Amino acid sequence: MHPESNELDIAKKTTLNAQQLAAVKHVTGPIMIIAGPGSGKTRVITERIAHLMNTGIKPENILALTFTNKAANEMKLRINNLTKNHAAFSIWMGTFHSIFSKILREEAHIMGYSSNFTIYDNEDSIKIIRRIIKDLNLDKDIYNPKFIFSRISFMKNNLIDCQTYSTYSDFKEQDTRNKRPMFLSVYTKYTQICKNSNCMDFDDLLMNTYRLFKNNPLILANYQEVFKYILIDEYQDTNKAQDKIVKQISMKHNNVCIVGDDSQSIYSFRGANINNMLDFKKFYKNVTEFKLEQNYRSTQNIVNAANSLIAYNKHKIDKTIFSENLEGDKIKLCEYNSGREEGNQISSMIANSIINGSKKSEHAILYRTNSQSKVIEDGLRKRGVNYRIFGGLSFYQRKEIKDVMAFLKLILNHHDEEALMRIINYPTRGIGATTINKIRLKAEENNKTIWQTMDSNAFNEIPLTKNAQNNVKFFIEMVKELFQIIDENIFKIIEIVINKTGIIRRLKDDPTPENINRLENIGELINTLKIFSMRQNNNKLIDFINEISLDETKNKNDDEDYVSLMTIHQSKGLEFPHIYIVGLENGLFPSQKNMREKKMLEEERRLFYVAITRAIKKVTLSYAVSRFQFGIMNKTNKSLFLDEINYFFIEKTQRNYQNIKDAKNLKIPKLNNRKLRRITTNTSQKYSIQGLKIGQNILHNIFGKGEIKKIDENDGNQKITVFFEKGGEKILLTKFAKIKILT
């Protein structure tokens, strides 16, 4: 199954279960829907919105926030089919960024922007920061542009602007300790450039929306009246800014419904705060809670294994995920001599499965970091297995597309400095770095944008050669001509841009394979314009630019059959029949950094939980007892998480040393964690426990003391759910479990 598939298709049953139906039909008040993996939450969301509309609530009074545009568009289509009036496209539905950018365009003048502001992507922002660091003569290694951008992003997501930052002495002390005392200067300069350029980055869309509502009570009241019913998907992934805005706009009617799973909160590095979900009941009073605990995706063994793992987390909402699917295969655990052997053997498993009739798209290999893909790629290539690595450049991140888009952005917003700097000398027109720097210095001196400086008398004061002056003036005249076509049909605009600017001509004059590919990509951009125009019945440049700026989708080929390779973070929301999770070693997964702190270790455990629950039928776990690190072969210890999965749900394969020359010399490191035990069906080892009751205290030979929480009888097989003081919740089959009744 290709990664483009999602949970929309997960619940193929015709009826909702009791909890799903209750969540759909509950209309008023704050609602919390805890949706475990594979529980059909997307269906619940869509049917709930459809129910609201069918009961007479106007679609324009419903706000539904998602984390991807793709999810929003697919839900709109489904809602449209479920409703009587087919008005789903009137719902305020989209990502936080797309909805808030729409609001900000309406209210831009209040924030000191014009409504045609453009949106910087991460690459644009980093380029600006890189120039600031250079202008301030700062060490680019200490003031790493990507790090600085990440820190600025963190501050904005926590609603800390430059002025607020300057009041925190702790921040200043931290910057001094880290040898970055000029961080605030960089942050301030970056903010000024964005404002002067009439641009916002993605984080500004959140922070500025919050400030808009905070500082303008009448505007807030207006949107509170508009958004009478609010629903937010994946609430465990929201950051502080998103949480605060939701609280602002829901304050009047209190009809806010959050959907999510705390056990799948894995994005703290992006600013996500699991406490937004855990503390929901503390802020809102009389919250109605629904738990979607039935997993329709995975086998019983997969679900039970995942449950036994996540039970070790302390900070979570209590729930018991279960499956009524087939019991299924046990999780396969493989130990390998080296990382390369791991890559080869996993590749062989997949190749053999394909030979026996499975599709490549049924297999996905998940890893903690991108660097782990190399040995797996080598193994798959060697066996002629087609694969695809996720996480590459999206279509709109490709150079030639960004070049064309920069011209389009400049037509829309003359002061977009990043767009201007990108194409001022592309294609080459004799405007070198020296000339550009002189213009920039003059612009800063007069507190003007670069465009204002070039298009004013101040330009004549800049000491440039005659050639440089003429080249700049030629560029100005060309761009001014482009300004005149802003109201034209977008087809005509792009036709004029690609021909007038010489982009197409330059690529055709140098027909290398790379340039031919770039020409094809520009052709695909033109195709996209056509589709956009037909879909939206809209030929406005500003609408196209806005949609593209907020588009998170990748360049995809749905028809191709391939094995999927991706990080676990990238797998969130996806599902595959067979999941392979590789590199399960301490220091790699969990990562070395996150092993030191309990809070981060819990997030690593949630990440592993997410990985396991992507599987429909089979899970293969693997680790190596030695692995190359920076060119040195080091011994490793298997991940501590492997010993947290109940051994009843695992089948460990024996390591094969055949053809391994150094096997006899290999020293397997001693592990402090308990070893996985093999379960036999020898009747002499069976235990019959009579008279067990819920609430009894028992002693287990491995897990220690625990309390019986649940007893299940199925065809003579008695299962008990026990919460152990040290091991968390475990499911035990009493005929195999070595337990002693204490009370």
Side-chain angles (χ1 to χ4, degrees), residues 248-371:
Q248 285 176 316
I249 57 181
S250 66
M251 197 177 299
K252 182 175 182 178
H253 297 285
N254 249 13
N255 295 324
V256 57
C257 172
I258 67 165
V259 185
D261 182 8
D262 57 294
S263 294
Q264 298 187 68
S265 179
I266 59 174
Y267 293 113
S268 67
F269 66 94
R270 291 185 192 166
N273 188 348
I274 191 174
N275 291 324
N276 292 346
M277 189 162 188
L278 297 179
D279 296 340
F280 184 76
K281 289 183 178 179
K282 293 180 182 178
F283 183 84
Y284 295 92
K285 306 301 180 186
N286 302 316
V287 174
T288 304
E289 182 181 282
F290 301 95
K291 293 182 180 179
L292 309 185
E293 296 175 299
Q294 184 169 355
N295 180 305
Y296 294 96
R297 173 188 298 148
S298 309
T299 65
Q300 293 181 33
N301 264 320
I302 292 171
V303 170
N304 290 337
N307 282 343
S308 69
L309 169 77
I310 204 65
Y312 280 83
N313 273 9
K314 303 299 181 188
H315 297 91
K316 63 181 187 299
I317 297 169
D318 289 332
K319 53 187 173 295
T320 304
I321 307 301
F322 68 96
S323 172
E324 293 183 355
N325 295 335
L326 295 173
E327 185 175 13
D329 295 340
K330 289 187 177 184
I331 290 176
K332 184 184 288 187
L333 177 61
C334 304
E335 179 185 274
Y336 297 110
N337 178 57
S338 65
R340 184 155 297 279
E341 185 189 15
E342 179 184 50
N344 277 324
Q345 292 301 317
I346 295 295
S347 300
S348 289
M349 285 186 204
I350 294 172
N352 289 334
S353 179
I354 293 167
I355 291 171
N356 291 325
S358 73
K359 293 182 178 179
K360 300 181 187 75
S361 57
E362 293 176 8
H363 305 269
I365 303 172
L366 310 183
Y367 34 77
R368 184 64 179 83
T369 62
N370 278 307
S371 60

Side-chain angles (χ1 to χ4, degrees), residues 552-566:
E552 79 293 331
T553 58
K554 309 293 184 188
N555 190 34
K556 303 176 176 104
N557 185 349
D558 294 335
D559 300 325
E560 195 176 0
D561 189 24
Y562 49 75
V563 175
S564 297
L565 277 66
M566 67 188 78

Side-chain angles (χ1 to χ4, degrees), residues 510-708:
D510 185 20
T512 62
E514 292 82 5
N515 283 346
I516 292 171
N517 187 54
R518 288 178 179 131
L519 282 168
E520 290 173 351
N521 287 335
I522 291 174
E524 185 60 29
L525 176 62
I526 296 170
N527 295 339
T528 302
L529 279 164
K530 184 176 181 180
I531 294 169
F532 173 83
S533 180
M534 293 171 63
R535 176 167 58 85
Q536 301 284 353
N537 194 25
N538 190 342
N539 289 315
K540 289 185 178 179
L541 177 62
I542 187 170
D543 291 332
F544 178 71
I545 293 291
N546 194 43
E547 176 162 306
I548 297 311
S549 297
L550 297 165
D551 187 13
E552 79 293 331
T553 58
K554 309 293 184 188
N555 190 34
K556 303 176 176 104
N557 185 349
D558 294 335
D559 300 325
E560 195 176 0
D561 189 24
Y562 49 75
V563 175
S564 297
L565 277 66
M566 67 188 78
T567 65
I568 301 169
H569 284 97
Q570 291 163 339
S571 75
K572 178 105 174 350
L574 310 179
E575 61 180 36
F576 300 86
H578 197 156
I579 290 288
Y580 305 80
I581 309 169
V582 301
L584 287 163
E585 301 134 33
N586 287 336
L588 191 55
F589 194 13
S591 70
Q592 192 67 47
K593 181 177 70 172
N594 292 341
M595 286 180 68
R596 305 184 192 121
E597 187 183 343
K598 285 184 179 180
K599 178 183 173 183
M600 295 311 300
L601 186 62
E602 289 206 351
E603 177 150 331
E604 289 283 296
R605 189 175 287 111
R606 292 195 295 268
L607 188 60
F608 192 22
Y609 176 84
V610 166
I612 293 172
T613 55
R614 300 308 94 200
I616 299 172
K617 295 179 180 179
K618 295 182 179 181
V619 176
T620 298
L621 310 177
S622 65
Y623 65 95
V625 299
S626 61
R627 189 177 294 273
F628 271 110
Q629 296 171 323
F630 300 100
I632 301 171
M633 180 66 81
N634 290 321
K635 293 179 181 143
T636 62
N637 288 328
K638 70 176 181 180
S639 173
L640 62 90
F641 294 149
L642 293 176
D643 285 329
E644 295 178 349
I645 300 175
N646 192 316
Y647 59 79
F648 183 77
F649 308 114
I650 284 187
E651 175 189 352
K652 185 176 180 182
T653 63
Q654 297 298 312
R655 184 151 52 106
N656 184 6
Y657 285 108
Q658 190 177 1
N659 298 324
I660 301 176
K661 294 179 181 179
D662 60 344
K664 62 182 181 181
N665 299 319
L666 181 66
K667 293 182 180 179
I668 301 176
K670 275 189 174 182
L671 304 179
N672 294 324
N673 304 310
R674 71 172 175 83
K675 294 182 178 179
L676 297 174
R677 299 177 58 200
R678 200 170 178 181
I679 304 298
T680 72
T681 56
N682 189 320
T683 55
S684 66
Q685 294 185 339
K686 292 182 181 180
Y687 290 77
S688 179
I689 310 292
Q690 302 296 325
L692 290 178
K693 298 178 182 178
I694 294 174
Q696 280 183 321
N697 292 315
I698 65 166
L699 180 68
H700 189 275
N701 66 316
I702 293 175
F703 303 124
K705 291 182 181 179
E707 181 184 348
I708 298 176

